[in-house]
Amino acid sequence: MTETTHHCNGITLVAETFGDPADPAVLLVHGACASMLWWEDALCRRIAAAGRYVIRYDQRDTGRSTSFPAGEPGYGLRDLAADAVALLDALGIDQAHVVGRSMSGGVVLVLGVDHPDRVRSLTLVSTTTGELPMGSADLPPDPDPGDPAAVVAYLVEAFRAYAGGSPHFDADATRAIATADVARTRDLRATLVNHFAMDFAGPRGGGWSDLRVPTLVVQGELDPVFPPAHGEALRDEIPGARLVVLPGSGHDVLEPAWDRFVAELVEHTS
């Protein structure tokens, strides 16, 4: 496990890698407001142990990567996709299997349509075509970003809500990641708002039906944000896509679901 800093696409991105660089690369792209820590260390090690070179990174406005003024990000999904391409360049990787979670389903859609030469496969986790109504989660009130303890408490309760009543939710494990995440974040105020304020324009080359790379859709049975119909819509829209529903899982892939998730990902990226 090695953390590195890369100056690319006009910004700084902080990344971490697991495993052997000679193995097929798997690039993990997390969703809104989430640094790379939410791809848990143990999950990354498990994927790497299955013969994959795992890369996770802080997107803009998360963790130690470049932060922009709160409420004025000045970038969009296409820029986040360009960041991913620039990071692969910096790491000397021509192609990667790309995994996008939640909001970053849009990021990897741009990658798959506009940069298909850099993508070996896509895995879409807890995301949506954007055409169906979102579900709802009973989120706590927004915290004071100047109070790190309040932000940690907010994250624990937000992830509890996103779990949708899943028996997999572990408040102590969530609190440990949230505490580490808050401690290493450059600007909590920007992290909490900027991904919701950015430009959501999609790929220049088309949409979901224009994807021509092997695609796996992973859907939580209890996801309150994007309920199962969202995963079904993705499967139906993307040529040749395969859908896997994780029983007892909500919006996040928590540890009790890792055996199934890793097995499906390894098969998909073989």
Side-chain angles (χ1 to χ4, degrees):
M1 183 172 76
T2 305
E3 184 176 301
T4 52
T5 300
H6 305 275
H7 304 287
C8 49
N9 200 29
I11 62 166
T12 296
L13 294 175
V14 173
E16 211 163 30
T17 60
F18 301 74
D20 186 344
D23 287 337
V26 173
L27 179 69
L28 304 176
V29 191
H30 215 297
C33 311
S35 80
M36 65 180 175
L37 297 190
W38 294 98
W39 293 110
E40 295 91 332
D41 291 5
L43 174 59
C44 293
R45 287 195 293 268
R46 191 176 297 193
I47 299 169
R52 301 293 180 268
Y53 182 53
V54 178
I55 305 136
R56 66 178 185 177
Y57 68 106
D58 297 330
Q59 294 200 86
R60 301 178 184 216
D61 281 314
T62 72
R64 294 184 177 134
S65 290
T66 295
S67 189
F68 291 77
E72 301 177 17
Y75 59 80
L77 283 179
R78 293 174 184 170
D79 298 294
L80 296 183
D83 291 347
V85 171
L87 178 61
L88 292 178
D89 288 341
L91 294 170
I93 296 170
D94 291 332
Q95 285 190 316
H97 299 281
V98 184
V99 183
R101 182 182 285 184
S102 193
M103 176 204 78
S104 288
V107 176
V108 303
L109 168 63
V110 177
L111 282 171
V113 174
D114 289 350
H115 307 277
D117 56 319
R118 308 306 299 271
V119 177
R120 295 183 67 178
S121 75
L122 291 180
T123 299
L124 304 167
V125 182
S126 305
T127 190
T128 180
T129 62
E131 296 177 359
L132 296 176
M134 286 181 63
S136 61
D138 187 15
L139 296 175
D142 291 342
D144 175 3
D147 182 350
V151 176
V152 169
Y154 167 82
L155 290 172
V156 172
E157 294 310 309
F159 276 90
R160 187 192 305 275
Y162 289 144
S166 170
H168 300 171
F169 178 73
D170 183 331
D172 291 338
T174 303
R175 186 174 294 105
I177 298 174
T179 300
D181 195 14
V182 166
R184 67 188 290 279
T185 297
R186 286 192 182 200
D187 185 340
L188 286 172
R189 189 177 302 275
T191 294
L192 290 169
V193 301
N194 277 1
H195 284 174
F196 300 111
M198 70 178 179
D199 178 4
F200 281 90
R204 295 181 173 86
W208 297 105
S209 62
D210 298 291
L211 286 170
R212 294 295 183 269
V213 294
T215 302
L216 173 67
V217 178
V218 178
Q219 169 71 49
E221 175 190 29
L222 304 177
D223 189 343
V225 182
F226 300 130
H230 290 255
E232 294 165 4
L234 282 164
R235 176 201 59 200
D236 295 343
E237 185 75 12
I238 300 167
R242 183 168 66 93
L243 172 64
V244 170
V245 177
L246 299 178
S249 286
H251 192 61
D252 298 291
V253 181
L254 301 177
E255 186 171 1
W258 287 356
D259 284 348
R260 176 78 184 279
F261 176 68
V262 173
E264 296 286 357
L265 180 61
V266 169
E267 178 183 347
H268 180 61
T269 57
S270 295

